[in-house]
Amino acid sequence: MYFLTKELYFPPVEEASYEGILAVGGDLSVERLVLAYKNGIFPWFDADEPILWWSPSERMVVNPHDYKVSKSIRNILNRNIFEVTVNKDFESVIKNCQTIERKGQDGTWISKDIIASYTKLHERGYAKSFEVWQIDSESSWELVGGLYGVDLGHVFCGESMFSKVPNASKIAFVSLIQYLKENNYKLLDCQVHNDHLEKLGAFEISRETFMKVLKS
């Protein structure tokens, strides 16, 4: 495991531990985050831990060009009960991802430092948000779901999503996939396996295969 200094550097991803941890320390500057994502590395750590940098041997991804939208989600889309926007309210999306309660999770890894750093990434054009809105009882639009991630131009690295009403995060996810397909992105990077992502259609590929796509 490599301990980072102030030098803007990461070791080769092949040096990651069995669990996928590559390095410890450093900072969350825009420059370091961009370098990390361009090299298949992402930060993931609890607020009371040092910064941990990961590059797991198996990567959870979606190929936007092969993705099939389920019949149930198509039916929801056709009902036009949601409005989807891009980059309209990045700050609200990431803060909702921080505070939303999730089954089986105690707390969140999205700290104030993460919010500050990814907001700077967004301001520099490296991070995008997808917002899902719904008309509330007072006939005004309410933010009910969304997601955010790091945009590398040909690969989108999804970070987190949230939903306040049923299916809102699924609508955000499918809208992102459609955007990536229309703009000829090669992959949606979902980072690590979880059952929810698998149900949404994500699957695992090797780190070697992922890096080939990332560097192409």
Side-chain angles (χ1 to χ4, degrees):
M1 189 183 304
Y2 191 89
F3 290 88
L4 299 177
T5 65
K6 293 182 179 180
E7 180 185 3
L8 200 58
Y9 167 80
F10 285 102
V13 294
E14 293 79 13
E15 295 186 18
S17 69
Y18 175 79
E19 296 82 7
I21 301 176
L22 178 66
V24 179
D27 54 51
L28 295 172
S29 66
V30 168
E31 292 74 19
R32 192 181 296 274
L33 285 168
V34 171
L35 179 65
Y37 282 96
K38 286 184 175 180
N39 285 279
I41 304 161
F42 58 89
W44 187 26
F45 59 99
D46 290 333
D48 58 351
E49 294 178 332
I51 301 173
L52 301 178
W53 300 92
W54 297 73
S55 185
S57 59
E58 298 291 322
R59 202 77 171 215
M60 201 73 169
V61 301
V62 174
N63 183 334
H65 301 281
D66 294 339
Y67 189 81
K68 304 297 182 185
V69 180
S70 69
K71 183 178 179 180
S72 61
I73 294 299
R74 286 202 306 270
N75 289 338
I76 294 170
L77 289 168
N78 291 336
R79 289 166 59 194
N80 293 318
I81 58 176
F82 295 112
E83 178 80 16
V84 179
T85 57
V86 180
N87 285 340
K88 186 172 182 179
D89 197 344
F90 182 91
E91 184 177 1
S92 290
V93 168
I94 193 171
K95 286 183 176 179
N96 273 283
C97 288
Q98 177 196 43
T99 58
I100 200 77
E101 292 186 4
R102 306 176 194 274
K103 282 186 178 181
Q105 291 187 16
D106 182 18
T108 177
W109 63 275
I110 304 175
S111 64
K112 291 181 179 179
D113 289 340
I114 287 286
I115 290 176
S117 296
Y118 282 77
T119 299
K120 289 179 182 177
L121 276 180
H122 172 65
E123 291 168 352
R124 296 272 292 271
Y126 289 110
K128 275 191 174 72
S129 61
F130 283 69
E131 302 89 13
V132 179
W133 308 83
Q134 189 175 42
I135 291 287
D136 62 17
S137 58
E138 297 178 356
S139 298
S140 60
W141 289 100
E142 178 186 3
L143 183 66
V144 294
L147 59 81
Y148 76 95
V150 176
D151 189 352
L152 299 178
H154 66 306
V155 172
F156 188 93
C157 306
E159 283 296 315
S160 187
M161 65 177 76
F162 78 96
S163 186
K164 292 183 176 180
V165 300
N167 299 310
S169 61
K170 293 178 182 178
I171 296 301
F173 185 83
V174 169
S175 298
L176 168 62
I177 295 293
Q178 187 61 33
Y179 173 89
L180 300 181
K181 183 177 181 179
E182 290 173 354
N183 289 278
N184 205 32
Y185 283 64
K186 295 180 178 180
L187 279 180
L188 166 59
D189 171 27
C190 301
Q191 299 178 346
V192 296
H193 177 274
N194 68 52
D195 293 339
H196 180 61
L197 289 171
E198 186 174 349
K199 289 177 182 177
L200 287 174
F203 56 93
E204 289 185 313
I205 61 174
S206 69
R207 178 171 56 215
E208 181 182 7
T209 300
F210 176 75
M211 292 302 295
K212 286 180 180 178
V213 176
L214 188 64
K215 295 296 185 179
S216 64

